[in-house]
Structure formats: structure tokens, C-alpha cells
Amino acid sequence: MNQILMPEIIFSGKNLIGKAVAHSTQTLGKIQSIFEHGDMITAQQADNIAYNVSSYLPEKEGTPGGLYFGITDLYPGLVGNEYFMTKGHFHDNVDSAEFYWGIEGEGVLILMDEQGGIKGERMFPGSLHYIPGRVAHRVANVSDSILSFGACWPSNAGHNYDTIAKNGFTARLKKIDGSPRFV
Amino acid sequence: MNQILMPEIIFSGKNLIGKAVAHSTQTLGKIQSIFEHGDMITAQQADNIAYNVSSYLPEKEGTPGGLYFGITDLYPGLVGNEYFMTKGHFHDNVDSAEFYWGIEGEGVLILMDEQGGIKGERMFPGSLHYIPGRVAHRVANVSDSILSFGACWPSNAGHNYDTIAKNGFTARLKKIDGSPRFV
């Protein structure tokens, strides 16, 4: 009672530190199918990290009114001429929004509405991005170093990865003449 | 269509920059009543800034599933031996949570549950704080420089300032022998 405590979680630079932080890793092998030429990923490359996610999930999944907080480190690289990227998802609870913000490195936030309309937003340290409900989102690293970005989303948003796994996005972000272009 | 755009909002250091950013200021005069000895604030001091809030509110207030993002700059100072602090609030939509994180300076996040139980959490650059629903929250600056902190909260949380304006918190954070203490 009436105590002044240290916070449970430290958000130091691009790292979340604390007992309650959950970690997950996606290797190139695990996300092979999201790339147009995923078959170019060799058995040797399959264990390479594509991205790491650190999350602070202080509420039970599905709790209305609660919030989650996460940091993603997305590695640089290409599969053919397609940039390393996250799987991408809609939210299960379709009206749920999310904030992303750039911490380190450079990327493109790829947004797709329910009609398949595509928009990209440049991510860089200090960029802030509001992702409204009903908009699928995926991030591509277009730099030569790790892209770190923060995220905050409702604890009842849920992740619908299936729609994207099945149908993909309506455009792919590729390195063309040295620059990111949608094709 | 298929364009790569610049983000609308830049979150640079401790500043939110962009056309859509809203600004508000609380002077000592406007928040006089929250201090035990608010009568010590002179007419001359009444126009001094207590805190500035920059907010990015991309949804209509009350929208379920949406999120808001803000940065608060809380000035240093004392009213008697009570630290400069924010008004503090519960959320109207009582189950709504909020994240705060320290950006610059040092402070204490003061949390009070519905039974009046008080807890303080140290704020500093990198501290991350989850404020669950049904917990009133206020921030005090315990340093000699500006305390900046970020916040993310649901667009249907709402602010219930009235309960705190009427009943206050059950403890006050004061500078005693040079250090913050609840009394």
C-alpha cells in the first residue's frame, strides 16, 4: 500500500524487458508461403530469422477494453526481389484498430482494405501509423539493417492470418531498380 | 492506388508532428483545485503552464475498436510540497485500459483502484506502464525538468474527471526530505 514501485516492463530503445514479456520468432522456413518465390528459400536458409516479436500481454486474450504492446524486429533481406516482410493480418474483431510506430531502420507498412485497395506508408524512426479496423497490415523491411517497430492494439482484436494466408495481398512490394515498388 | 506515402504523423523524440495533431494546455490556474494548497498559487503564477498534451485522435470520440495516441509534457514544480501533477481520471467506459510510457524526465504514475488503494510506479525514459480498466491514473513530475510521457488508449474510453475532481485521490505525492512520498 502507498508504495512507489519500479515498473514491471522497461521499453529500452527497441527492447521490451521484463518477466512478463513474451517472445516469438518467425523463420524464413515458417513464412515461406507468403513470398511469391518462396521456393527459392533453401533448406539452409529456412532456419534464418525473418522476424522476432516481443509482446507485453497484460490481459487475457479477448478481454474487451484491454490493450497489448509489442516490438517487432524484422530482418533485412530479399526472396527473389521481394523484401522480407511479416505475414500480415486482418483482426478477428474486425473493427479493432492498431498503432504502429517506427523505432529503427526503414520499411514500408502495407495496408489493404477489404476491397483489396493497397496503400504503403514509409516507416522510419519516429513515423506513427494508425491502422483502422477492417484494414489488413503487413510490414516490409526495405533497408539493409533490422527494422524495429512498436505496436499497440486492443486485447480483443485477435489475429485473422487465414484470409491473408489464403488470398495474400493484392500487390507485392519488390525491389525494382533499387527502390521499393508495388507490383 | 498502390502508392507509397509519407506517414501523416511523426513522433519525433517527444513531439507529435502533423496536421492532425491536437494541442491542449493546462495552466496552474486551471488545475488549482487539485492541489491541497492550491490557494498558494498566486495570480501571477496562474498563467504558468502545468502541462501540454499533443494528441492524435484519428477516430470520432466513442468509436469502439479505435485507438488514440498522445504525448504529455508535464512541467516541474511544487505547490507547497506537492509535485506538479495531471488532473487524473477514471475512464467513462470503465473497462478501458491505457498504456503510458516514459520518454524524458522522471515522475511517478499514481494509480488508484475503485476501493481507493494507491500504488505509485516510477516513470523514466523507457518505463512502460499498463493501466487496467477501473484504475484512476495521474502523473506527478518529481524531477527538475519536463517529464514527457506517451499514451495509447481506446477511442471509446472517455475521460471521467468528475469523480477525481470531487473526491480526489486517497493519497498525495509530496516532496518530503527531498524525496517523493505518499501522505
Side-chain angles (χ1 to χ4, degrees):
Chain A
M1 275 297 297
N2 288 13
Q3 282 183 305
I4 304 177
L5 307 167
M6 291 299 286
E8 279 181 32
I9 305 282
I10 310 295
F11 168 30
S12 172
K14 57 174 208 172
N15 300 301
L16 283 184
I17 300 163
K19 273 194 295 190
V21 177
H23 297 278
S24 71
T25 294
Q26 298 291 342
T27 61
L28 284 176
K30 281 204 263 182
I31 62 166
Q32 187 162 12
S33 63
I34 70 174
F35 297 100
E36 185 175 30
H37 298 295
D39 56 323
M40 293 174 70
I41 297 168
T42 64
Q44 217 172 358
Q45 292 170 323
D47 290 334
N48 290 357
I49 294 171
Y51 55 101
N52 290 318
V53 183
S54 304
S55 312
Y56 177 39
L57 313 170
E59 299 281 3
K60 191 161 172 286
E61 174 88 38
T63 304
L67 294 171
Y68 289 160
F69 197 99
I71 307 287
T72 299
D73 283 349
L74 175 57
Y75 281 63
L78 293 165
V79 177
N81 61 354
E82 193 173 12
Y83 295 101
F84 280 16
M85 59 185 176
T86 61
K87 288 193 286 182
H89 59 275
F90 287 99
H91 289 146
D92 273 332
N93 192 336
V94 292
D95 289 326
S96 299
E98 186 158 3
F99 272 108
Y100 278 179
W101 58 94
I103 297 173
E104 190 181 289
E106 283 178 52
V108 173
L109 169 60
I110 305 169
L111 301 167
M112 182 179 73
D113 63 29
E114 290 178 321
Q115 289 71 46
I118 290 274
K119 190 175 76 167
E121 287 185 8
R122 289 272 182 186
M123 299 183 84
F124 49 85
S127 63
L128 180 65
H129 311 269
Y130 183 66
I131 304 159
R134 300 177 183 276
V135 173
H137 38 292
R138 141 181 294 173
V139 173
N141 184 343
V142 302
S143 71
D144 295 325
S145 57
I146 285 178
L147 169 68
S148 288
F149 62 95
C152 188
W153 69 101
S155 53
N156 65 341
H159 291 87
N160 167 7
Y161 292 109
D162 291 351
T163 302
I164 298 302
K166 195 173 155 199
N167 304 326
F169 278 61
T170 53
R172 292 181 176 276
L173 194 71
K174 296 190 172 179
K175 187 172 189 172
I176 294 175
D177 298 332
S179 294
R181 299 271 170 78
F182 281 117
V183 290
Chain B
M1 276 296 299
N2 288 13
Q3 282 183 304
I4 303 177
L5 307 167
M6 291 299 285
E8 280 181 31
I9 305 283
I10 309 296
F11 168 31
S12 173
K14 57 174 208 172
N15 301 302
L16 283 184
I17 300 163
K19 273 194 294 188
V21 176
H23 297 278
S24 72
T25 294
Q26 298 291 342
T27 61
L28 283 177
K30 281 203 264 181
I31 63 166
Q32 186 163 13
S33 62
I34 70 173
F35 296 101
E36 186 174 28
H37 298 294
D39 55 325
M40 295 174 68
I41 297 167
T42 65
Q44 217 173 359
Q45 291 170 325
D47 289 335
N48 290 357
I49 294 171
Y51 56 100
N52 292 318
V53 183
S54 304
S55 312
Y56 178 39
L57 313 171
E59 298 281 3
K60 192 161 171 283
E61 175 88 38
T63 304
L67 294 172
Y68 289 161
F69 196 99
I71 307 287
T72 299
D73 282 350
L74 175 57
Y75 281 61
L78 294 164
V79 177
N81 61 353
E82 193 172 12
Y83 296 100
F84 280 16
M85 59 185 176
T86 61
K87 288 194 285 184
H89 59 274
F90 286 100
H91 289 147
D92 274 331
N93 193 336
V94 292
D95 289 327
S96 299
E98 187 159 2
F99 271 108
Y100 277 0
W101 58 96
I103 296 172
E104 190 179 289
E106 283 179 52
V108 174
L109 169 60
I110 304 170
L111 301 167
M112 182 178 74
D113 62 29
E114 290 178 321
Q115 288 72 47
I118 291 273
K119 191 175 76 167
E121 287 185 8
R122 290 273 181 184
M123 298 183 84
F124 50 85
S127 63
L128 180 66
H129 310 269
Y130 183 66
I131 303 160
R134 301 176 184 277
V135 173
H137 38 290
R138 141 181 293 174
V139 172
N141 185 343
V142 301
S143 72
D144 297 325
S145 58
I146 285 178
L147 170 68
S148 288
F149 61 94
C152 187
W153 69 101
S155 54
N156 65 340
H159 290 88
N160 167 8
Y161 291 109
D162 291 351
T163 303
I164 297 303
K166 196 172 155 201
N167 304 325
F169 277 61
T170 54
R172 290 182 176 278
L173 194 71
K174 296 189 171 179
K175 187 172 188 172
I176 295 176
D177 299 332
S179 294
R181 298 272 169 79
F182 281 118
V183 291

